[in-house]
């Protein structure tokens, strides 16, 4: 039996066992989700493993005082490790997932997920390899939030988000969520960049005017 077509989109499933491939064909479903949809949130328990075929999902967490931080993004060819963790531990979500684009995804029901983890070495390795990679990324993010200067992190984020013309379509609030800090902190820092002539700001847009200076700052040591 050939692999389900969608498994070729995930590197870790390319060598899936034939019987497991057959099981996946009959125990998975491809769904479409529109942009800006909250697909899970705190207190809810997952019923399916989620594997992304197309689009992007933002996973973020909110504190009691209302501050938000982006934990990670799920891109095409990746699984949602928070969903996987909750399935394994039988716990509810502690963060929320929001589609940033129209999304196409594979869902694998909880019972089928449990069967695959216990019977397929390839599937089990796929699950825990994704865990390992994401945990490493989360530790790096914690390190940045705790120890790296906000001006350096903001410069890095602006470069990452800029299009080919050096324009970023965003708001101060969205940047504060990306970087896990208060909106006022972002606003003050952007005003400083503006004063130095590095950027120009307009409504929901930031234009990088001096890439050399922004890039130099982004590479500054702690």
């Amino acid at each position: 039996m050939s692999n389900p077509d969608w498994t070729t989109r995930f590197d870790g499933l390319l060598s899936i066992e034939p019987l497991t491939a057959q099981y996946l064909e009959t125990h998975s479903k491809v769904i479409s989700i529109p942009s800006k949809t909250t697909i899970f949130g705190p207190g809810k328990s997952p019923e399916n493993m989620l594997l992304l075929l197309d689009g992007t999902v933002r996973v973020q967490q909110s504190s009691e005082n209302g501050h938000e931080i982006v934990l990670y993004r799920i891109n095409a060819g990746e699984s949602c490790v928070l969903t996987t963790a909750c399935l394994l531990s039988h716990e509810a979500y502690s963060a929320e997932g929001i589609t940033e684009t129209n999304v196409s995804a594979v869902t694998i029901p909880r019972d089928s997920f449990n069967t695959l983890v216990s019977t397929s070495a390839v599937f089990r390795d796929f699950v825990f390899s994704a865990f390992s990679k994401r945990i490493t990324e989360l530790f790096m993010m914690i390190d940045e939030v705790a120890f790296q200067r906000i001006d350096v992190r903001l410069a890095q984020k602006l470069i990452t988000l800029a299009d080919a013309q050096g324009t970023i379509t965003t708001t101060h609030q969205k940047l504060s969520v990306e970087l896990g800090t208060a909106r006022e902190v972002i606003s003050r820092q952007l005003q400083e960049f503006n004063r130095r002539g590095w950027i120009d700001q307009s409504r929901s847009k930031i234009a990088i005017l001096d890439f050399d200076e922004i890039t130099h700052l982004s590479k500054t040591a702690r």
Side-chain angles (χ1 to χ4, degrees):
M1 188 89 179
S2 61
N3 287 358
D5 289 342
W6 60 260
T7 61
T8 62
R9 303 286 297 276
F10 300 87
D11 291 341
L13 297 179
L14 292 176
S15 58
I16 199 78
E17 304 95 338
L19 286 177
T20 306
Q22 182 178 353
Y23 186 88
L24 280 169
E25 278 192 302
T26 56
H27 292 82
S28 65
K29 181 180 179 181
V30 177
I31 62 171
S32 297
I33 309 169
S35 177
K36 299 180 181 179
T37 300
T38 299
I39 56 177
F40 58 78
K44 297 180 180 179
S45 297
E47 296 302 324
N48 300 278
M49 183 184 188
L50 183 69
L51 304 173
L52 220 62
L53 296 173
D54 293 293
T56 305
V57 175
R58 182 178 74 252
V59 179
Q60 65 184 41
Q61 191 164 21
S62 301
S63 66
E64 292 183 358
N65 60 11
H67 287 167
E68 297 173 320
I69 184 170
V70 174
L71 299 176
Y72 60 89
R73 283 180 168 82
I74 316 165
N75 297 305
E78 296 178 342
S79 61
C80 177
V81 296
L82 180 59
T83 296
T84 305
C86 292
L87 286 171
L88 289 169
S89 64
H90 300 280
E91 297 285 345
Y93 286 108
S94 58
E96 62 181 347
I98 303 169
T99 57
E100 294 189 317
T101 64
N102 292 334
V103 160
S104 175
V106 176
T107 60
I108 302 172
R110 179 191 291 272
D111 289 345
S112 301
F113 168 81
N114 290 336
T115 297
L116 289 163
V117 168
S118 63
T119 60
S120 169
V122 173
F123 187 83
R124 188 164 55 248
D125 287 348
F126 168 71
V127 168
F128 288 106
S129 176
F131 251 102
S132 176
K133 178 176 181 292
R134 190 65 75 187
I135 287 173
T136 299
E137 292 172 352
L138 286 171
F139 272 114
M140 291 173 62
M141 184 198 73
I142 292 169
D143 182 76
E144 290 175 358
V145 171
F147 302 115
Q148 196 171 67
R149 287 166 32 188
I150 190 62
D151 58 340
V152 174
R153 296 177 58 223
L154 178 57
Q156 293 168 346
K157 182 58 66 175
L158 292 178
I159 292 171
T160 300
L161 297 177
D163 62 18
Q165 289 72 47
T167 301
I168 303 103
T169 302
T170 190
T171 64
H172 294 193
Q173 178 61 35
K174 289 180 179 178
L175 283 172
S176 72
V177 173
E178 291 283 347
L179 297 173
T181 189
R183 182 185 60 79
E184 294 78 9
V185 173
I186 296 298
S187 296
R188 285 197 298 270
Q189 195 59 63
L190 287 172
Q191 288 172 1
E192 178 60 19
F193 287 178
N194 194 92
R195 185 189 68 79
R196 296 181 186 182
W198 295 356
I199 65 169
D200 182 51
Q201 299 186 77
S202 57
R203 186 174 181 82
S204 298
K205 286 188 183 296
I206 300 169
I208 298 179
L209 304 179
D210 195 328
F211 261 99
D212 289 342
E213 289 293 346
I214 291 288
T215 302
H216 177 71
L217 177 59
S218 72
K219 296 178 180 179
T220 301
R222 295 171 185 170

